[in-house]
Amino acid sequence: MKAAEAQTQVSDYWTRRAPAFDGVASHVAQAGLWRDVLATAFEAEGTKDVVDLGTGTGACALIAASLGHRVRGCDGSEGMLAAARQAAETSGLDVAFEHALIEEASFAPGSADIVTLRNVLWTLPDPMAALRKAHLTLRSGGLILVSDGLWSVAAQYRSTYSDGLAASLPRHDGLTEDDARAMLAEAGFGTARSWQHLFPASPYPGDVPMFVLTARKG
Ligand SMILES: C[S@@+](CC[C@H](N)C(=O)[O-])C[C@H]1O[C@@H](n2cnc3c(N)ncnc32)[C@H](O)[C@@H]1O
């Protein structure tokens, strides 16, 4: 399957899942824990410019906004973004959401202090292109935060993508921390630091190996 067709199918899948996503996503149920972990991992003093790539229903973006940062986010699925916009309105938080694929989003180069990608790399036809976009979007010294997991170990976290679509996503099984460290280095980031130990227990029932990594643009 060509990358463009895979991407269309991924976006359509998430638009179909959007109405129920916040009801099942463990990270939404555990927003308080994630807020604590992100607040520490950002290592930020004062208000920062944050960009959330593949923002989905805006869970990470809204946490960043609740921490006082100026936040923008993009997603390829209009359905997920509709839920994100609704959540922002309900919570009274200001986030500028853009309907765009990560690679095509309009964020100016060097316009962010922090870029986040949570549970996005596994579902991209070209995950390295997303990390390069994050690198481009960050200012010198800026911080990328990447979180994902080895979703193949637990049936309840598998996507219901068709076999053809799954086969065209290089990280469909998920990622280990070592995988992500290697990818961050390849994208030009400095040594990564891990933060998942801050969770009192795995945020994903089923003990999926997961990681929260940050690294800086030199
Ligand atoms: C598992 S959800 C994660 C959403 C959010 N980051 C979170 O932590 O809740 C994956 C999201 O990535 C989005 N996505 C997939 N490929 C994308 C791309 N190339 N550009 C932008 N968004 C993309 C999907 O539409 C979906 O909303």
Side-chain angles (χ1 to χ4, degrees):
M1 186 183 297
K2 293 208 165 100
E5 172 58 18
Q7 185 61 66
T8 299
Q9 290 194 19
V10 167
S11 296
D12 289 350
Y13 171 95
W14 288 103
T15 287
R16 284 194 302 276
R17 278 199 61 180
F21 185 69
D22 282 349
V24 296
S26 64
H27 51 249
V28 174
Q30 301 182 358
L33 280 176
W34 276 99
R35 188 176 191 277
D36 292 346
V37 172
L38 295 187
T40 304
F42 283 170
E43 298 184 282
E45 280 182 27
T47 302
K48 301 294 180 188
D49 290 309
V50 177
V51 166
D52 188 30
L53 300 177
T55 191
T57 54
C60 266
L62 293 169
I63 288 173
S66 78
L67 293 170
H69 301 304
R70 286 179 295 269
V71 186
R72 294 165 285 162
C74 76
D75 200 279
S77 158
E78 187 54 73
M80 293 293 266
L81 279 181
R85 290 194 180 98
Q86 181 62 56
E89 193 177 323
T90 302
S91 55
L93 292 166
D94 189 22
V95 177
F97 290 114
E98 178 181 351
H99 180 214
L101 297 177
I102 291 169
E103 300 88 321
E104 296 166 4
S106 67
F107 310 125
S111 65
D113 303 300
I114 298 171
V115 171
T116 54
L117 289 115
R118 188 178 69 175
N119 300 345
V120 177
L121 291 177
W122 71 270
T123 188
L124 299 177
D126 187 353
M128 283 306 302
L131 294 183
R132 287 193 295 272
K133 175 76 173 195
H135 195 271
L136 182 70
T137 305
L138 283 167
R139 301 189 170 106
S140 181
L143 184 102
I144 185 171
L145 182 144
V146 180
S147 181
D148 225 298
L150 194 59
W151 309 112
S152 53
V153 307
Q156 70 265 37
Y157 295 112
R158 299 302 284 158
S159 74
T160 50
Y161 291 165
S162 69
D163 290 347
L165 176 55
S168 55
L169 304 176
R171 297 290 176 179
H172 182 255
D173 282 348
L175 296 87
T176 65
E177 177 177 345
D178 284 348
D179 292 332
R181 283 180 180 274
M183 292 166 73
L184 286 168
E186 188 182 333
F189 290 96
T191 306
R193 183 169 178 186
S194 64
W195 301 92
Q196 62 271 16
H197 60 277
L198 296 179
F199 287 102
S202 170
Y204 304 111
D207 280 334
V208 178
M210 60 82 69
F211 59 85
V212 179
L213 288 176
T214 58
R216 291 201 181 267
K217 173 176 177 172

